[in-house]
């Protein structure tokens, strides 16, 4: 006897719909390796319908005064709190994440971020009006860009959806968002929440649309003629493809891509405290975080002591079932990701040493042990490429110059951290590190008021903060003759 799979559907113009051609794909719970739902495999007809709905809803949404859009976002935030347990259950099943951690580490910041952008809706700032040519006054208008095609990733499907829709809606845009084909459940639930709020407050439900599908669905969204902007959080390869596709009609592009965060540990660091914080920042969410603390550079004078302490911390870190409150992280998201992480370990060079972990855990699901690898060189694959798993690598450096060179010596440039008690050194390092974020004596905290985004192959554009809000607006110059 087989259990019937739950049916997820697209949300287009206020209605839940199957794909026009009826195609579906199975959605697997990574904690069990078993399918629990089906989701639409959306094609051109579905993308057309969603884009048309967003385009039709745009004029009225754009023309609302900011205070009205703020009311909608504040109501959405309230509804997220009211329906938190539903969101937690959906995300846990989506990703295999521990329930307690979704409750404590994802729901509160998401609600806060929505409320932040609700406030940002009323802060459309521009330079002061003035006369820059005799007889004329110039003013600046800040306007929404239009329909936004947004593609969210599978590592934080619920939170990344918030990072995309909240600033877009606050600025007056309408949205078509696609979750990853492996994690659509929480985004479909978000559609139900937002749709009900829009309906209650008398706005078109076409303001927010969700279509499920695969890479081809995302390509169709980016290449569609209606969106004025394409936003993606994903791999470098996906970002390059989006940028290339969007260039054909000069769409705006917002890219948050991979990372390979250096964690530079100097000899004056409080080793027990650093190890505790770095291990959490490296293993949280199974290391499936573009900012994860997975590439440690430690001064040679404390290298052996640090590695031993980090290996001990790894051995004491627990992965397991979603209802176990003692686990730090759940499984990798999908079978392909498990294969990728295993591949990095299998291809380690002879000079590398596995200090802890290095193997799959359990006989079902996609769990992988907390891993520490030492003895690595700068040009090793595992140092240069994003693993996106619970694997921390360690290299030994001799001086500050070498630390900077190695820290910057990768193609990614999203986040980094420096661990030292020397204030002047911390300031020098924060200047020299070529990354969008530099943490000092901490790693991974984020706040709604501060920007998140990288350089180089980590993409461009900012999430969160007023800078993230600005990315969803355009600037118009209006000049008036004073001659009447």
């Amino acid at each position: 006897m087989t259990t019937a799979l739950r049916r997820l559907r697209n949300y287009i113009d206020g209605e839940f719909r199957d794909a026009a051609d009826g195609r579906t794909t199975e959605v697997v719970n990574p904690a069990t390796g078993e399918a629990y739902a089906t989701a639409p495999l959306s094609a051109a007809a579905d993308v057309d319908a969603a884009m048309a709905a967003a385009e039709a809803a745009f004029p009225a949404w754009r023309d609302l005064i900011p205070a009205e859009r703020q009311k909608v976002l504040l109501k959405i935030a309230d509804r997220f709190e009211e329906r938190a347990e539903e969101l937690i259950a959906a995300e846990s099943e989506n990703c295999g994440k521990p329930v307690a951690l979704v409750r404590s580490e994802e729901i509160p910041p998401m609600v806060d971020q929505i409320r932040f952008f609700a406030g940002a809706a009323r802060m459309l700032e521009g330079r002061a009006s003035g006369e820059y040519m005799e007889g004329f006054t110039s003013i600046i208008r800040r306007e929404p860009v239009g329909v936004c095609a947004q593609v969210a990733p599978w590592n934080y499907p619920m939170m990344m959806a918030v990072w995309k829709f909240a600033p877009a809606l606050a600025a007056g845009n309408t949205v078509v968002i696609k979750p990853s084909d492996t994690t659509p459940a929480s985004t479909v639930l978000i559609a139900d929440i937002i749709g009900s709020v829009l309906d209650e407050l008398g706005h078109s439900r076409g303001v927010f649309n969700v279509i499920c599908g695969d890479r081809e669905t995302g390509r169709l969204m980016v290449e569609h003629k209606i969106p004025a902007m394409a936003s993606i959080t994903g791999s470098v390869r996906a970002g390059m493809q989006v940028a290339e596709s969007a260039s054909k009609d000069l769409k705006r592009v917002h890219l948050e891509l991979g990372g390979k965060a250096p964690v530079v540990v100097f000899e004056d660091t409080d080793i027990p405290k650093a190890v505790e914080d770095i291990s959490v920042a490296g293993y949280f969410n199974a290391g499936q975080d573009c900012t994860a603390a997975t590439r440690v550079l430690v001064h040679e004078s404390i290298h052996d002591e640090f590695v031993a302490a980090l290996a001990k911390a790894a051995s004491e870190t627990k992965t397991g079932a979603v209802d176990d409150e003692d686990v730090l992280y759940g499984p990798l998201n999908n079978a392909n990701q498990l294969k990728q992480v295993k591949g990095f370990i299998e291809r380690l060079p002879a000079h590398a040493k596995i200090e802890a972990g290095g193997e799959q855990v359990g006989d079902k699901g996609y769990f992988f042990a907390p891993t520490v690898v030492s003895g690595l060189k700068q040009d090793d694959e595992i140092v240069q490429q994003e693993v996106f798993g619970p694997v921390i690598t360690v290299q030994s450096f001799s001086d500050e110059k070498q630390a900077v060179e190695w820290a910057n010596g990768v193609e990614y440039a999203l986040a980094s951290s420096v661990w030292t008690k020397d204030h002047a050194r911390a300031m020098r390092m924060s200047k020299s590190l070529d990354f969008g974020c530099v943490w000092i004596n901490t790693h991974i905290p984020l706040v709604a008021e501060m920007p998140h985004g990288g350089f180089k192959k980590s993409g461009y554009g900012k999430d969160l903060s007023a800078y993230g809000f600005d990315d969803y607006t355009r600037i118009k110059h209006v000049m008036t003759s004073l001659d009447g």
Side-chain angles (χ1 to χ4, degrees), residues 363-383:
D363 56 2
K364 68 175 183 177
Y366 311 130
F367 296 90
F368 200 83
T371 299
V372 177
V373 182
S374 67
L376 294 164
K377 298 179 180 179
Q378 180 66 12
D379 59 356
D380 287 336
E381 177 197 33
I382 200 169
V383 170

Side-chain angles (χ1 to χ4, degrees), residues 113-374:
Q113 289 152 9
I114 296 170
R115 288 176 175 151
F116 170 81
F117 284 114
R122 300 178 73 165
M123 292 293 290
L124 284 164
E125 295 180 334
R127 293 184 179 180
S129 301
E131 290 68 51
Y132 303 96
M133 180 181 290
E134 188 173 342
F136 297 87
T137 293
S138 288
I139 63 173
I140 295 294
R141 289 183 56 87
R142 296 293 293 276
E143 300 177 341
V145 298
V147 176
C148 296
Q150 302 181 319
V151 179
W154 48 252
N155 60 332
Y156 292 98
M158 187 163 61
M159 187 176 290
M160 294 303 97
V162 168
W163 285 21
K164 293 191 180 302
F165 80 71
L169 296 184
N173 304 286
T174 54
V175 165
V176 178
I177 189 168
K178 186 191 87 67
S180 168
D181 55 340
T182 66
T183 56
S186 56
T187 312
V188 171
L189 178 56
I190 287 172
D192 183 57
I193 292 173
I194 293 178
S196 67
V197 170
L198 291 168
D199 196 43
E200 288 174 20
L201 297 181
H203 303 294
S204 168
R205 288 178 289 180
V207 166
F208 182 82
N209 306 271
V210 172
I211 53 173
C212 303
D214 58 9
R215 242 178 236 165
E216 175 63 12
T217 311
R219 184 188 66 80
L220 291 169
M221 288 175 59
V222 173
E223 293 184 356
H224 202 278
K225 64 181 180 181
I226 288 178
M229 180 175 179
S231 170
I232 177 175
T233 300
S235 69
V236 173
R237 181 182 65 175
M240 289 179 171
Q241 291 171 344
V242 167
E244 182 179 0
S245 295
S247 70
K248 295 174 183 177
D249 58 359
L250 296 178
K251 283 185 179 68
R252 286 190 179 208
V253 179
H254 184 281
L255 303 175
E256 200 275 90
L257 309 177
K260 193 68 180 173
V263 180
V264 184
V265 182
F266 285 95
E267 66 276 10
D268 60 346
T269 299
D270 180 337
I271 294 177
K273 180 67 165 61
V275 165
E276 179 184 359
D277 291 355
I278 290 167
S279 62
V280 171
Y283 297 133
F284 188 81
N285 201 38
Q288 299 171 125
D289 191 314
C290 298
T291 63
T294 57
R295 185 167 62 104
V296 175
L297 307 173
V298 60
H299 191 268
E300 59 189 10
S301 65
I302 62 168
H303 173 270
D304 293 351
E305 180 183 358
F306 188 90
V307 169
L310 190 60
K312 183 176 185 293
S315 69
E316 295 171 351
T317 299
K318 187 176 178 182
T319 179
V322 300
D323 57 353
D324 186 341
E325 295 193 1
D326 293 328
V327 306
L328 177 65
Y329 67 89
L332 295 167
N333 181 261
N334 54 74
N336 286 339
Q337 190 59 26
L338 176 62
K339 181 180 178 181
Q340 174 171 306
V341 174
K342 283 182 173 180
F344 275 101
I345 300 301
E346 291 165 358
R347 295 189 301 273
L348 283 173
H351 55 262
K353 180 182 178 183
I354 298 175
E355 303 280 355
E359 71 281 331
Q360 186 174 353
V361 176
D363 56 2
K364 68 175 183 177
Y366 311 130
F367 296 90
F368 200 83
T371 299
V372 177
V373 182
S374 67

Side-chain angles (χ1 to χ4, degrees), residues 71-133:
K71 287 180 184 177
V72 173
L73 285 162
L74 290 174
K75 177 69 76 172
I76 290 170
D78 291 346
R79 199 61 50 83
F80 266 55
E81 286 186 322
E82 293 165 10
R83 299 182 65 175
E85 293 305 312
E86 294 176 68
L87 289 165
I88 292 164
E91 192 73 340
S92 182
E93 196 167 33
N94 247 350
C95 308
K97 294 183 180 186
V99 168
L101 289 175
V102 178
R103 181 178 292 114
S104 65
E105 304 301 320
E106 297 199 31
I107 295 295
M110 286 193 309
V111 170
D112 179 66
Q113 289 152 9
I114 296 170
R115 288 176 175 151
F116 170 81
F117 284 114
R122 300 178 73 165
M123 292 293 290
L124 284 164
E125 295 180 334
R127 293 184 179 180
S129 301
E131 290 68 51
Y132 303 96
M133 180 181 290

